[in-house]
Every structure is written in C-alpha cells, then in structure tokens.
Amino acid sequence: MIVAAACSGTQQAATNEFRVALVTPGPVSDRSWNGSAYEGLEFIRDSLGAKISHVQAKTPADFEENFRQYGAAGYSIVIGHGFEFQDAAKRVAPAYPRTVYLITGGRVTGENLASVSFAFEEPSYLAGMAAAAASRTGMVACVGGTQLPTVKSSFRAFAAGASAIRPQVSVITAYLGNWDDASAGREQALALARRGVDVIFQDADAAGLGVFQAAREQRALRIIGSNANQNDVAPRATLGSVVIDVPRALLLLATQVKDGSFTPRLYRFTTKEEVVRWVPNPALMNELPAADREQIASTASLMRQGRFTLPPTP
C-alpha cells in the first residue's frame, strides 16, 4: 500500500523533503531483478537521507495508478522497475512535472522522464562462453519469465557466446509465461535436464528460484544466475551470475536529482562502467578447461576496456 495522501489531486510540492518511490512488477524477495532495485532504494535512503516507499504492481492499470498517486503526493523520484512500465510513465509524467519518473530497462524520455538501459548482453555473452565450456552434453538452455525484448536480446547474446567456445553447441530457449511461479521454473528445468541439457541460464526473477531448486535435485545440472549475484543461492551448482549493479545505478541517478545536475535522457550502462558484469563462481571454475577460462577472461578484459563488439545475432 502507498502511504501518501493526495491533497485535492494536486502535488504536495511545498515540502523540500527528498522522497523516492519504487514500483516493481514482482516481489523484492526474488533475490534477483526486483530485490536488487529494493536494495538500491535502501542505498538511496541511507546515503541521501531520502524517505522511501515501495509498492508491487501487477497490471498496467496498477502501474499508472501508482505513478499518479506518487506524483500527486509530491515524490521527488518515482522508479518504474522494468521495460513494461514505459507506457504508463509516458502517460502520467507530464501531469506531475516536479516529479522525475525513471524507468529501468526502458528507452522512453521526456521533460521529466528518463530511462536506464543496461548492456546485459555483454555479460550474457560471457555466461554463454562459460556454459558451453562447462557442458558435458553440448546442450545448454535459457529459461526466461516472459519474452521481454531485453530478455530475448540477452539470450541471443548467450547463444552467441556459447557458439564462440563450442560452435556445435545446442542452445534451447524456453519461457515460463510469468515471473512468479517457482514451481513452473523447477518443472521446466527438470524437463530440460531430461532432454540432456546440463547448463541453464535463468532470467525469471522469483520463478527462477525454482530453477535453482532443480539444480539442487539434479547434481549434474549447472545454473547461471541473473540480475543480482546469485552464486550463493545454490553454490554447488551455480557457475556464475550475470549481474546488473542496479543499486549503484539508482544511487548515482538519485544523487544527480538531489543535487540538481540530473538531465532527463536515456542512460546506458555497460561493462566498461562495471555496472553490468559477469561474476563467476570460483568454486566451480575448475570445471572449465584452462584454455576456455583464459578466452573468457580475455574477452571480459576487452569489454571493460570498451574494445569488444558483440557479434551480430539473429
């Protein structure tokens, strides 16, 4: 529930209080995409002295209603955490010009509307290299929540990275149709394991926790985490994680809003800024041939220097 009163439909802009709201599409207990955003919200509270609020919204109607309530309450920043919040932000932001609306994973901009995009494809490419190097069967897979453009592009990059290490590798992609059903994630992972898949890259938020559960049950199955560092979710089965440092990005932008240096535009974070990165699990890296480990490390170094261009993917 949003604890904020709306005074006759007008913004409560008279206060100088710095207030930041976060709207997520899923639970912040997912240890992934939503949890990392909430961690960023807490960083903003602790570092900038902001008063914070969070609400989980499930439908586009909820997105717009929450955006309007926070705007009417005079919040300094409203963060819509995900590509799916773009349309609601475009409709609502013009009505509350003193509130900055910030969309993660989006591309929309306006007078008081900015988006943050992450080069998730870069560490996903490295994850694909690691998956192909670790696979004994030559079959790896991607499991996603829904077919968001950002998820699809990262899965294509993963497949390209896998092919760079092992040209004949087979990459299977499956979508659960939701981001919340851990049972569906587990069943999908077990079904893929029965087909011979032995490494799965999951990007399914709370539903992805079920993929980790499957790996605990299938000792030969290896998992790659996403969004947050998930290496400790199933440490004996997780090769590594494709990490977005959402807390760092949100704190950086909130600081700019507070000090008045913020410009509403599209912000792009890459491996070069280390906001996105591949975090291997040291305990399992010996499962990869030494030559493949060296190739992955070399590619990661080029990315950090801004000297690596991802190959075109279909």
Side-chain angles (χ1 to χ4, degrees):
M1 177 182 294
I2 298 174
V3 183
C7 294
S8 303
T10 61
Q11 275 185 281
Q12 296 178 345
T15 178
N16 291 322
E17 196 171 56
F18 189 61
R19 292 186 290 171
V20 181
L22 170 67
V23 185
T24 62
V28 297
S29 59
D30 63 1
R31 303 186 69 178
S32 183
W33 176 247
N34 298 296
S36 64
Y38 190 76
E39 183 181 348
L41 187 66
E42 292 180 316
F43 278 8
I44 292 169
R45 177 196 64 199
D46 298 341
S47 299
L48 303 180
K51 289 198 173 180
I52 63 172
S53 178
H54 164 257
V55 66
Q56 179 183 337
K58 289 186 175 293
T59 69
D62 292 336
F63 303 164
E64 187 163 335
E65 178 184 359
N66 296 149
F67 282 174
R68 289 191 185 280
Q69 289 180 339
Y70 280 127
Y75 271 72
S76 309
I77 307 173
V78 179
I79 303 164
H81 191 48
F83 177 89
E84 58 267 54
F85 288 97
Q86 294 187 106
D87 290 341
K90 286 192 296 183
R91 287 191 294 269
V92 174
Y96 304 99
R98 299 184 68 172
T99 296
V100 171
Y101 287 84
L102 184 62
I103 305 302
T104 57
R107 301 193 67 82
V108 293
T109 59
E111 291 294 324
N112 60 322
L113 172 60
S115 290
V116 184
S117 73
F118 304 100
F120 199 59
E121 300 87 358
E122 293 178 354
S124 296
Y125 183 90
L126 299 174
M129 296 175 75
S135 177
R136 292 182 172 86
T137 66
M139 296 180 66
V140 300
C142 302
V143 173
T146 61
Q147 297 189 47
L148 294 178
T150 50
V151 177
K152 293 168 68 175
S153 64
S154 70
F155 285 176
R156 289 194 297 268
F158 175 88
S163 296
I165 287 286
R166 195 169 182 172
Q168 302 305 314
V169 70
S170 176
V171 183
I172 300 171
T173 300
Y175 292 94
L176 303 174
N178 73 87
W179 300 92
D180 303 320
D181 189 349
S183 177
R186 172 181 173 274
E187 290 302 320
Q188 181 65 76
L190 292 176
L192 288 167
R194 288 193 291 269
R195 294 175 61 181
V197 168
D198 60 354
V199 183
I200 298 176
F201 174 31
Q202 70 79 29
D203 187 356
D205 295 350
L209 295 176
V211 179
F212 286 99
Q213 179 58 42
R216 296 187 192 99
E217 300 172 19
Q218 298 285 326
R219 293 182 61 86
L221 190 60
R222 295 290 178 260
I223 305 299
I224 292 172
S226 65
N227 299 306
N229 186 343
Q230 297 184 307
N231 292 351
D232 63 346
V233 177
R236 295 182 180 179
T238 307
L239 282 176
S241 295
V242 177
V243 174
I244 302 177
D245 195 343
V246 174
R248 180 180 176 185
L250 293 184
L251 178 58
L252 172 65
L253 296 175
T255 301
Q256 293 179 9
V257 173
K258 188 175 184 181
D259 68 21
S261 64
F262 181 80
T263 301
R265 62 179 177 85
L266 174 62
Y267 292 81
R268 176 76 169 171
F269 292 104
T270 69
T271 303
K272 189 174 181 180
E273 295 88 14
E274 296 190 6
V275 171
V276 294
R277 58 187 183 273
W278 162 244
V279 180
N281 179 0
L284 296 185
M285 282 302 97
N286 286 336
E287 294 186 1
L288 280 59
D292 292 339
R293 293 200 303 270
E294 291 176 6
Q295 186 175 346
I296 295 167
S298 175
T299 304
S301 177
L302 291 173
M303 286 182 180
R304 288 192 296 271
Q305 297 170 48
R307 295 172 52 202
F308 184 83
T309 301
L310 289 173
T313 57

